[in-house]
Amino acid sequence: MKKVLVTGGAGFLGSNLCKNLLQQGNFVYCLDNLYTGKIKNIALLKNSKKFQFINEDIRYFDINSIKIDEIYNAACPASPKAYQKDPIYTIKTNILGIEKMLNLATLNNAKILQFSTSEVYGNPLVYPQKEEYFGNVNSIGIRACYDEGKRIAETLCFDYKRQKGTKIKIVRIFNTYGVNMDKNDGRVISNFIVQSLQGKDITIYGEGNQTRSFCYVDDLINGIVKMMETDDEVTGPFNLGNPQEYTIKELAEIIKKKTYSNSKIICLDLPEDDPIKRRPDITKAKKYLDWNPTITLDEGLDKTIEYFRRILK
Ligand code: UDP
């Protein structure tokens, strides 16, 4: 039985990953300080004897307190609203968090997989985004605490590999949605579904011509677990996401229709540095992981709408 640590394990992606790892028979340590993570996301998992919740801040975690075989490092507020609330905290969590986890991995000769992001490409000038693209990031803007924090984390992973031989793996995660999303974290899919179900105005930022490509969480978690299973020389970074691209205006209309909502679609100001076009090139993930997302936006939205109907009751 493998012992696996998931940092940020009570968050949206972390909790879905913990569930998957438990189903595969692993022992799972879930580290989370509940800054954005929620106990309700792991409530059922806590009944398992193979699950241990550690309520601590990753920055102060004692790396001598556990022995592990694998680490998934997901700890960081991830929605723009959440990571911009306390940007100094966000950048410190990114940088000090990965440093601590790399030390833990090195000490245990364990594999470590870093949750990186499409934000490393910034507002991309290359389309679709391939891993070789170095990005177009504003280092002093309001998204920089997250974007630059995640970029430094990638750098530190590779420096640990080169200097200490640490077994690192990196995935760059594009927009993902599904069960256990936080209804208040300000993301576009959660906002539009909640607004539609509650009959409130559906808030498009800007004119809604910006694009995103949305991956259902189960597909993403499958890709992440496959990445961990690769041989040690496979490091990535690999893009993980669903290449089907939609404008935000299209998304608003799809969600309004699916929820039979009477909500009005309105346009508000576009936030600073909001990327205009985003779509992953997933050739590498297909080749090295034999991975391809299979859940369509239509199916994924049905599951997500059902989830929000349940939690909004
Ligand atoms: N967005 C929007 N209305 C909302 C929330 C978000 O139009 O209520 C837009 C946002 O400006 C961005 C896109 O939807 O262009 C995706 O936003 P999200 O916060 O989900 O993630 P991002 O991809 O920006 O990190």
Side-chain angles (χ1 to χ4, degrees):
M1 182 176 60
K2 273 187 302 192
K3 291 188 166 183
V4 185
L5 170 64
V6 179
T7 76
F12 163 45
L13 297 182
S15 60
N16 279 286
L17 174 61
C18 286
K19 186 174 164 198
N20 180 302
L21 294 169
L22 276 176
Q23 281 166 350
Q24 292 180 59
N26 299 292
F27 187 96
V28 177
Y29 291 103
C30 164
L31 176 75
D32 206 304
N33 66 348
L34 304 177
Y35 181 81
T36 53
K38 300 272 180 296
I39 284 289
K40 70 172 178 52
N41 290 344
I42 53 166
L44 289 176
L45 310 184
K46 281 172 95 183
N47 296 329
S48 167
K49 289 197 171 60
K50 291 183 171 175
F51 184 81
Q52 188 177 327
F53 175 52
I54 307 169
N55 185 354
E56 272 180 50
D57 187 316
I58 189 172
R59 294 173 297 166
Y60 311 120
F61 181 64
D62 174 8
I63 61 168
N64 294 305
S65 63
I66 55 172
K67 290 263 168 285
I68 39 86
D69 302 298
E70 293 174 354
I71 306 169
Y72 291 87
N73 188 44
C76 184
S79 76
K81 180 178 163 192
Y83 69 64
Q84 287 166 19
K85 193 170 122 198
D86 183 351
I88 298 172
Y89 170 78
T90 299
I91 198 156
K92 282 185 159 176
T93 299
N94 266 316
I95 297 172
L96 303 178
I98 187 64
E99 184 192 21
K100 179 139 294 193
M101 288 304 126
L102 285 163
N103 284 333
L104 176 62
T106 312
L107 190 66
N108 284 262
N109 195 25
K111 293 196 262 188
I112 178 165
L113 186 151
Q114 168 65 1
F115 279 48
S116 192
T117 168
S118 54
E119 289 286 329
V120 300
Y121 303 119
N123 190 1
L125 305 175
V126 164
Y127 173 85
Q129 290 84 55
K130 284 184 193 291
E131 290 84 351
E132 288 75 19
Y133 179 49
F134 290 160
N136 176 38
V137 179
N138 176 2
S139 65
I140 56 170
I142 58 171
R143 292 175 91 107
C145 57
Y146 187 73
D147 301 8
E148 298 290 13
K150 290 283 183 182
R151 286 170 67 96
I152 284 283
E154 288 196 2
T155 310
L156 208 54
C157 285
F158 271 86
D159 285 337
Y160 264 71
K161 177 182 163 53
R162 285 185 284 254
Q163 254 178 275
K164 297 173 191 264
T166 312
K167 298 178 209 162
I168 60 128
K169 298 180 185 297
I170 298 174
V171 290
R172 292 180 177 158
I173 300 169
F174 283 64
N175 295 63
T176 303
Y177 68 101
V179 170
N180 285 359
M181 279 188 108
D182 178 359
K183 67 177 172 16
N184 295 318
D185 78 358
R187 284 173 187 281
V188 68
I189 289 201
S190 45
N191 272 8
F192 285 2
I193 294 178
V194 172
Q195 290 162 344
S196 298
L197 292 178
Q198 297 184 330
K200 295 184 177 151
D201 289 349
I202 299 173
T203 56
I204 289 181
Y205 300 158
E207 295 185 359
N209 296 323
Q210 71 270 40
T211 70
R212 294 292 187 275
S213 310
F214 299 100
C215 186
Y216 190 69
V217 64
D218 292 355
D219 274 336
L220 183 90
I221 298 297
N222 281 339
I224 287 175
V225 170
K226 280 188 163 200
M227 180 67 175
M228 186 62 104
E229 285 164 2
T230 54
D231 294 339
D232 288 351
E233 66 272 13
V234 180
T235 58
F238 296 150
N239 291 335
L240 290 181
N242 190 323
Q244 262 215 307
E245 186 182 10
Y246 296 85
T247 65
I248 295 304
K249 198 164 37 185
E250 282 170 335
L251 181 74
E253 274 150 16
I254 294 170
I255 291 177
K256 182 175 156 147
K257 194 162 160 217
K258 275 189 159 296
T259 50
Y260 307 101
S261 175
N262 294 321
S263 293
K264 204 164 80 188
I265 298 179
I266 61 165
C267 290
L268 302 177
D269 288 345
L270 188 67
E272 193 183 304
D273 289 338
D274 200 283
I276 295 165
K277 265 175 118 49
R278 182 183 286 159
R279 177 175 173 221
D281 181 320
I282 57 167
T283 310
K284 285 196 171 174
K286 280 184 181 163
K287 179 173 167 195
Y288 291 99
L289 309 179
D290 189 24
W291 176 81
N292 210 5
T294 58
I295 300 166
T296 61
L297 186 69
D298 192 51
E299 292 169 278
L301 281 179
D302 283 343
K303 292 174 201 267
T304 312
I305 291 167
E306 190 193 308
Y307 158 75
F308 277 111
R309 277 193 205 283
R310 205 167 58 233
I311 66 160
L312 289 174
K313 266 188 194 149

Short mmCIF file of all heavy atoms in Angstrom, two decimals, residues 118-154:
data_model
loop_
_atom_site.label_atom_id
_atom_site.label_comp_id
_atom_site.label_asym_id
_atom_site.label_seq_id
_atom_site.Cartn_x
_atom_site.Cartn_y
_atom_site.Cartn_z
N SER A 118 -2.24 26.76 -16.47
CA SER A 118 -2.21 27.48 -17.74
C SER A 118 -1.83 28.94 -17.53
O SER A 118 -1.44 29.62 -18.48
CB SER A 118 -3.59 27.41 -18.40
OG SER A 118 -4.58 27.87 -17.50
N GLU A 119 -1.95 29.43 -16.30
CA GLU A 119 -1.57 30.83 -16.02
C GLU A 119 -0.08 31.08 -16.24
O GLU A 119 0.33 32.23 -16.33
CB GLU A 119 -1.94 31.20 -14.58
CG GLU A 119 -3.43 31.35 -14.34
CD GLU A 119 -4.03 32.61 -14.91
OE1 GLU A 119 -3.35 33.64 -14.99
OE2 GLU A 119 -5.21 32.56 -15.31
N VAL A 120 0.74 30.03 -16.31
CA VAL A 120 2.16 30.26 -16.60
C VAL A 120 2.33 30.85 -18.00
O VAL A 120 3.36 31.44 -18.31
CB VAL A 120 3.05 29.00 -16.45
CG1 VAL A 120 3.00 28.45 -15.03
CG2 VAL A 120 2.72 27.93 -17.47
N TYR A 121 1.30 30.70 -18.86
CA TYR A 121 1.37 31.30 -20.20
C TYR A 121 0.87 32.75 -20.20
O TYR A 121 0.93 33.42 -21.22
CB TYR A 121 0.55 30.47 -21.20
CG TYR A 121 0.98 29.02 -21.29
CD1 TYR A 121 0.09 27.99 -20.97
CD2 TYR A 121 2.26 28.69 -21.69
CE1 TYR A 121 0.49 26.66 -21.05
CE2 TYR A 121 2.66 27.36 -21.77
CZ TYR A 121 1.77 26.35 -21.44
OH TYR A 121 2.16 25.03 -21.51
N GLY A 122 0.32 33.21 -19.06
CA GLY A 122 -0.17 34.59 -18.96
C GLY A 122 -1.29 34.86 -19.95
O GLY A 122 -2.19 34.04 -20.11
N ASN A 123 -1.21 36.01 -20.62
CA ASN A 123 -2.16 36.33 -21.69
C ASN A 123 -1.48 35.90 -22.99
O ASN A 123 -0.72 36.65 -23.59
CB ASN A 123 -2.45 37.83 -21.68
CG ASN A 123 -3.62 38.18 -22.60
OD1 ASN A 123 -4.22 37.30 -23.24
ND2 ASN A 123 -3.92 39.45 -22.70
N PRO A 124 -1.71 34.65 -23.43
CA PRO A 124 -0.83 34.04 -24.44
C PRO A 124 -0.93 34.67 -25.82
O PRO A 124 -2.01 35.02 -26.28
CB PRO A 124 -1.31 32.58 -24.47
CG PRO A 124 -2.67 32.57 -23.89
CD PRO A 124 -2.79 33.76 -22.98
N LEU A 125 0.23 34.80 -26.45
CA LEU A 125 0.28 35.31 -27.82
C LEU A 125 0.39 34.17 -28.81
O LEU A 125 0.41 34.37 -30.01
CB LEU A 125 1.47 36.28 -27.97
CG LEU A 125 1.49 37.43 -26.97
CD1 LEU A 125 2.75 38.27 -27.12
CD2 LEU A 125 0.25 38.31 -27.14
N VAL A 126 0.51 32.95 -28.29
CA VAL A 126 0.61 31.75 -29.13
C VAL A 126 -0.63 30.91 -28.89
O VAL A 126 -1.10 30.79 -27.75
CB VAL A 126 1.88 30.96 -28.74
CG1 VAL A 126 1.84 29.55 -29.29
CG2 VAL A 126 3.12 31.69 -29.23
N TYR A 127 -1.15 30.30 -29.96
CA TYR A 127 -2.45 29.67 -29.85
C TYR A 127 -2.55 28.45 -30.77
O TYR A 127 -2.17 28.57 -31.93
CB TYR A 127 -3.49 30.72 -30.25
CG TYR A 127 -4.87 30.18 -30.34
CD1 TYR A 127 -5.66 30.08 -29.21
CD2 TYR A 127 -5.39 29.77 -31.56
CE1 TYR A 127 -6.94 29.56 -29.30
CE2 TYR A 127 -6.65 29.26 -31.65
CZ TYR A 127 -7.42 29.15 -30.52
OH TYR A 127 -8.67 28.64 -30.60
N PRO A 128 -2.99 27.28 -30.28
CA PRO A 128 -3.22 26.94 -28.88
C PRO A 128 -1.90 26.89 -28.13
O PRO A 128 -0.84 26.90 -28.76
CB PRO A 128 -3.88 25.57 -28.95
CG PRO A 128 -3.40 24.97 -30.23
CD PRO A 128 -3.20 26.12 -31.18
N GLN A 129 -1.94 26.80 -26.80
CA GLN A 129 -0.70 26.87 -26.03
C GLN A 129 -0.01 25.51 -25.95
O GLN A 129 -0.61 24.53 -25.51
CB GLN A 129 -0.99 27.38 -24.61
CG GLN A 129 -1.38 28.85 -24.57
CD GLN A 129 -2.86 29.08 -24.85
OE1 GLN A 129 -3.69 28.51 -24.17
NE2 GLN A 129 -3.17 29.89 -25.84
N LYS A 130 1.23 25.47 -26.44
CA LYS A 130 2.09 24.29 -26.32
C LYS A 130 3.02 24.50 -25.13
O LYS A 130 3.31 25.63 -24.78
CB LYS A 130 2.99 24.17 -27.55
CG LYS A 130 2.32 23.65 -28.80
CD LYS A 130 3.41 23.52 -29.87
CE LYS A 130 2.87 23.31 -31.26
NZ LYS A 130 2.23 22.04 -31.51
N GLU A 131 3.55 23.40 -24.62
CA GLU A 131 4.42 23.49 -23.43
C GLU A 131 5.70 24.28 -23.71
O GLU A 131 6.30 24.84 -22.80
CB GLU A 131 4.80 22.09 -22.94
CG GLU A 131 3.64 21.31 -22.30
CD GLU A 131 2.76 20.58 -23.31
OE1 GLU A 131 2.92 20.81 -24.53
OE2 GLU A 131 1.92 19.79 -22.88
N GLU A 132 6.12 24.34 -24.97
CA GLU A 132 7.38 25.04 -25.30
C GLU A 132 7.23 26.55 -25.23
O GLU A 132 8.21 27.28 -25.19
CB GLU A 132 7.85 24.69 -26.73
CG GLU A 132 8.38 23.29 -26.89
CD GLU A 132 7.30 22.23 -26.90
OE1 GLU A 132 6.12 22.58 -27.15
OE2 GLU A 132 7.61 21.05 -26.62
N TYR A 133 5.99 27.05 -25.24
CA TYR A 133 5.76 28.49 -25.20
C TYR A 133 6.12 29.05 -23.83
O TYR A 133 5.67 28.52 -22.82
CB TYR A 133 4.29 28.77 -25.55
CG TYR A 133 3.92 30.23 -25.52
CD1 TYR A 133 4.70 31.18 -26.17
CD2 TYR A 133 2.79 30.66 -24.83
CE1 TYR A 133 4.37 32.51 -26.14
CE2 TYR A 133 2.44 32.00 -24.80
CZ TYR A 133 3.24 32.92 -25.46
OH TYR A 133 2.91 34.25 -25.42
N PHE A 134 6.94 30.10 -23.80
CA PHE A 134 7.42 30.64 -22.52
C PHE A 134 6.43 31.61 -21.86
O PHE A 134 6.63 32.04 -20.73
CB PHE A 134 8.78 31.32 -22.69
CG PHE A 134 9.91 30.36 -22.97
CD1 PHE A 134 11.09 30.82 -23.54
CD2 PHE A 134 9.79 29.02 -22.67
CE1 PHE A 134 12.14 29.94 -23.81
CE2 PHE A 134 10.83 28.13 -22.93
CZ PHE A 134 12.01 28.58 -23.50
N GLY A 135 5.41 32.03 -22.59
CA GLY A 135 4.36 32.82 -21.96
C GLY A 135 4.51 34.32 -22.11
O GLY A 135 5.52 34.83 -22.58
N ASN A 136 3.45 34.99 -21.70
CA ASN A 136 3.38 36.45 -21.80
C ASN A 136 2.76 36.94 -20.50
O ASN A 136 1.58 37.23 -20.42
CB ASN A 136 2.50 36.82 -23.01
CG ASN A 136 2.28 38.31 -23.14
OD1 ASN A 136 3.18 39.10 -22.90
ND2 ASN A 136 1.07 38.69 -23.52
N VAL A 137 3.61 36.98 -19.45
CA VAL A 137 3.10 37.22 -18.11
C VAL A 137 3.49 38.61 -17.61
O VAL A 137 4.64 39.02 -17.76
CB VAL A 137 3.65 36.15 -17.12
CG1 VAL A 137 3.15 36.42 -15.70
CG2 VAL A 137 3.25 34.75 -17.56
N ASN A 138 2.52 39.32 -17.04
CA ASN A 138 2.79 40.61 -16.40
C ASN A 138 3.27 40.33 -14.98
O ASN A 138 2.51 39.89 -14.13
CB ASN A 138 1.49 41.42 -16.40
CG ASN A 138 1.65 42.74 -15.67
OD1 ASN A 138 2.74 43.07 -15.19
ND2 ASN A 138 0.57 43.49 -15.58
N SER A 139 4.55 40.63 -14.72
CA SER A 139 5.12 40.26 -13.42
C SER A 139 4.66 41.19 -12.29
O SER A 139 4.92 40.91 -11.12
CB SER A 139 6.65 40.24 -13.49
OG SER A 139 7.11 41.55 -13.73
N ILE A 140 4.01 42.31 -12.63
CA ILE A 140 3.60 43.24 -11.56
C ILE A 140 2.08 43.44 -11.51
O ILE A 140 1.59 44.31 -10.81
CB ILE A 140 4.31 44.61 -11.71
CG1 ILE A 140 4.04 45.21 -13.09
CG2 ILE A 140 5.81 44.48 -11.47
CD1 ILE A 140 4.50 46.66 -13.22
N GLY A 141 1.35 42.62 -12.25
CA GLY A 141 -0.11 42.77 -12.28
C GLY A 141 -0.79 42.03 -11.14
O GLY A 141 -0.14 41.38 -10.32
N ILE A 142 -2.12 42.11 -11.13
CA ILE A 142 -2.88 41.53 -10.02
C ILE A 142 -2.96 40.00 -10.07
O ILE A 142 -3.33 39.37 -9.10
CB ILE A 142 -4.31 42.13 -9.92
CG1 ILE A 142 -5.08 41.91 -11.24
CG2 ILE A 142 -4.26 43.61 -9.55
CD1 ILE A 142 -6.55 42.29 -11.16
N ARG A 143 -2.61 39.40 -11.22
CA ARG A 143 -2.59 37.94 -11.30
C ARG A 143 -1.20 37.38 -11.02
O ARG A 143 -1.02 36.17 -10.95
CB ARG A 143 -3.06 37.48 -12.70
CG ARG A 143 -4.52 37.76 -12.98
CD ARG A 143 -4.93 37.40 -14.39
NE ARG A 143 -5.41 36.04 -14.51
CZ ARG A 143 -6.69 35.69 -14.70
NH1 ARG A 143 -7.63 36.60 -14.81
NH2 ARG A 143 -7.03 34.43 -14.80
N ALA A 144 -0.21 38.27 -10.88
CA ALA A 144 1.19 37.82 -10.81
C ALA A 144 1.48 36.97 -9.58
O ALA A 144 2.31 36.06 -9.63
CB ALA A 144 2.12 39.03 -10.85
N CYS A 145 0.78 37.24 -8.46
CA CYS A 145 1.05 36.46 -7.24
C CYS A 145 0.83 34.97 -7.52
O CYS A 145 1.56 34.12 -7.01
CB CYS A 145 0.15 36.92 -6.10
SG CYS A 145 -1.60 36.82 -6.49
N TYR A 146 -0.13 34.68 -8.35
CA TYR A 146 -0.43 33.29 -8.70
C TYR A 146 0.46 32.82 -9.86
O TYR A 146 1.16 31.82 -9.76
CB TYR A 146 -1.91 33.18 -9.09
CG TYR A 146 -2.40 31.78 -9.32
CD1 TYR A 146 -2.61 30.91 -8.24
CD2 TYR A 146 -2.67 31.31 -10.60
CE1 TYR A 146 -3.07 29.62 -8.45
CE2 TYR A 146 -3.15 30.02 -10.81
CZ TYR A 146 -3.34 29.18 -9.73
OH TYR A 146 -3.80 27.91 -9.93
N ASP A 147 0.46 33.61 -10.94
CA ASP A 147 1.19 33.21 -12.16
C ASP A 147 2.69 33.06 -11.88
O ASP A 147 3.30 32.05 -12.22
CB ASP A 147 1.02 34.27 -13.27
CG ASP A 147 -0.43 34.51 -13.66
OD1 ASP A 147 -1.32 33.98 -12.97
OD2 ASP A 147 -0.65 35.23 -14.64
N GLU A 148 3.26 34.09 -11.27
CA GLU A 148 4.71 34.05 -11.02
C GLU A 148 5.04 33.05 -9.91
O GLU A 148 6.09 32.41 -9.94
CB GLU A 148 5.24 35.44 -10.67
CG GLU A 148 5.08 36.48 -11.79
CD GLU A 148 5.99 36.25 -13.00
OE1 GLU A 148 6.58 35.17 -13.14
OE2 GLU A 148 6.09 37.19 -13.82
N GLY A 149 4.13 32.93 -8.94
CA GLY A 149 4.33 31.93 -7.89
C GLY A 149 4.40 30.53 -8.48
O GLY A 149 5.28 29.73 -8.13
N LYS A 150 3.51 30.24 -9.40
CA LYS A 150 3.48 28.92 -10.03
C LYS A 150 4.68 28.74 -10.97
O LYS A 150 5.18 27.63 -11.15
CB LYS A 150 2.18 28.73 -10.82
CG LYS A 150 0.94 28.58 -9.94
CD LYS A 150 0.85 27.18 -9.34
CE LYS A 150 -0.40 26.97 -8.52
NZ LYS A 150 -0.49 25.65 -7.90
N ARG A 151 5.13 29.83 -11.60
CA ARG A 151 6.31 29.73 -12.47
C ARG A 151 7.57 29.42 -11.64
O ARG A 151 8.36 28.54 -12.00
CB ARG A 151 6.49 31.02 -13.30
CG ARG A 151 5.46 31.13 -14.42
CD ARG A 151 5.47 32.51 -15.06
NE ARG A 151 6.70 32.76 -15.77
CZ ARG A 151 6.87 32.58 -17.10
NH1 ARG A 151 5.87 32.15 -17.85
NH2 ARG A 151 8.02 32.84 -17.66
N ILE A 152 7.73 30.14 -10.54
CA ILE A 152 8.87 29.87 -9.65
C ILE A 152 8.81 28.43 -9.14
O ILE A 152 9.84 27.76 -9.03
CB ILE A 152 8.87 30.86 -8.46
CG1 ILE A 152 9.35 32.22 -8.89
CG2 ILE A 152 9.76 30.34 -7.33
CD1 ILE A 152 10.85 32.35 -9.09
N ALA A 153 7.61 27.97 -8.82
CA ALA A 153 7.48 26.59 -8.31
C ALA A 153 7.98 25.60 -9.36
O ALA A 153 8.68 24.63 -9.03
CB ALA A 153 6.03 26.31 -7.95
N GLU A 154 7.66 25.84 -10.63
CA GLU A 154 8.18 24.97 -11.70
C GLU A 154 9.71 25.02 -11.73
O GLU A 154 10.39 24.00 -11.86
CB GLU A 154 7.63 25.39 -13.08
CG GLU A 154 6.17 25.07 -13.29
CD GLU A 154 5.77 25.14 -14.77
OE1 GLU A 154 6.64 25.40 -15.64
OE2 GLU A 154 4.57 24.93 -15.07
#
